[in-house]
Amino acid sequence: MAIEWQDNLSIGVLEIDIQHKLLFDKFNSFLDAYQSDGNTEGTLRMFWFLEAYAVTHFKEEEKLMQQLAFPTFHSHRQKHEAFIENVNQLKERLKVEGLSQALVTTLTSFITSWLVQHISTEDRAIGTFVNQKAGRV
């Protein structure tokens, strides 16, 4: 069930690429905790940590976009906010239902598809912009 980082997801901005790889690692740590411990406090802590890391990453990415006057900053930020809202809805389900296989499957599907799509399109645009400004493209 783990999600693997693929080199084609690299956007060419080292600090962002490192953070993206860590997001994949944190999500896989959550999945590993669930598979080995099930619905335990440790597994839930891994989920909260994953969420907090995603928020921190978004703030760093948004700070970079603002510094560079990235032209689609506001729409990109709205996508981050929508992700956080979706995660908050999943957290509410988690509080009501507990951490079940069905919810883990839903989380995995949502986070995997969102991350891959977002990195491949939205974040790739940041990489292209940064490299154009630096004269590398």
Side-chain angles (χ1 to χ4, degrees):
M1 219 178 358
I3 58 172
E4 288 190 40
W5 174 262
Q6 298 171 8
D7 288 337
N8 67 340
L9 292 173
S10 177
I11 67 165
V13 178
L14 183 61
E15 62 268 24
I16 300 298
D17 286 334
I18 290 169
Q19 290 175 14
H20 287 158
K21 289 176 188 177
L22 283 170
L23 273 171
F24 278 66
D25 288 345
K26 302 304 178 203
F27 186 71
N28 287 329
S29 295
F30 161 72
L31 291 175
D32 289 344
Y34 176 73
Q35 289 171 349
S36 63
D37 298 330
N39 189 4
T40 66
E41 189 64 32
T43 304
L44 295 174
R45 273 197 306 275
M46 288 304 303
F47 179 75
W48 307 143
F49 182 76
L50 169 66
E51 176 195 21
Y53 186 81
V55 168
T56 299
H57 163 68
F58 291 162
K59 287 181 182 175
E60 289 295 315
E61 201 173 84
E62 290 167 7
K63 183 174 144 185
L64 174 65
M65 287 188 289
Q66 284 183 308
Q67 289 171 346
L68 297 169
F70 186 65
T72 60
F73 166 74
H74 293 290
S75 66
H76 194 120
R77 184 180 205 180
Q78 287 174 337
K79 289 176 176 67
H80 288 170
E81 291 167 352
F83 175 85
I84 292 167
E85 180 58 34
N86 282 323
V87 169
N88 285 334
Q89 290 171 4
L90 290 167
K91 276 181 12 185
E92 289 305 311
R93 279 188 59 192
L94 180 60
K95 289 176 188 174
V96 172
E97 301 171 21
L99 194 54
S100 65
Q101 183 61 53
L103 187 52
V104 169
T105 300
T106 299
L107 276 166
T108 301
S109 176
F110 168 68
I111 290 175
T112 301
S113 63
W114 192 92
L115 279 176
V116 169
Q117 186 280 329
H118 186 80
I119 292 169
S120 297
T121 57
E122 303 299 326
D123 290 347
R124 184 162 316 284
I126 297 170
T128 300
F129 186 78
V130 167
N131 288 311
Q132 284 174 342
K133 281 191 98 142
R136 290 179 267 185
V137 175

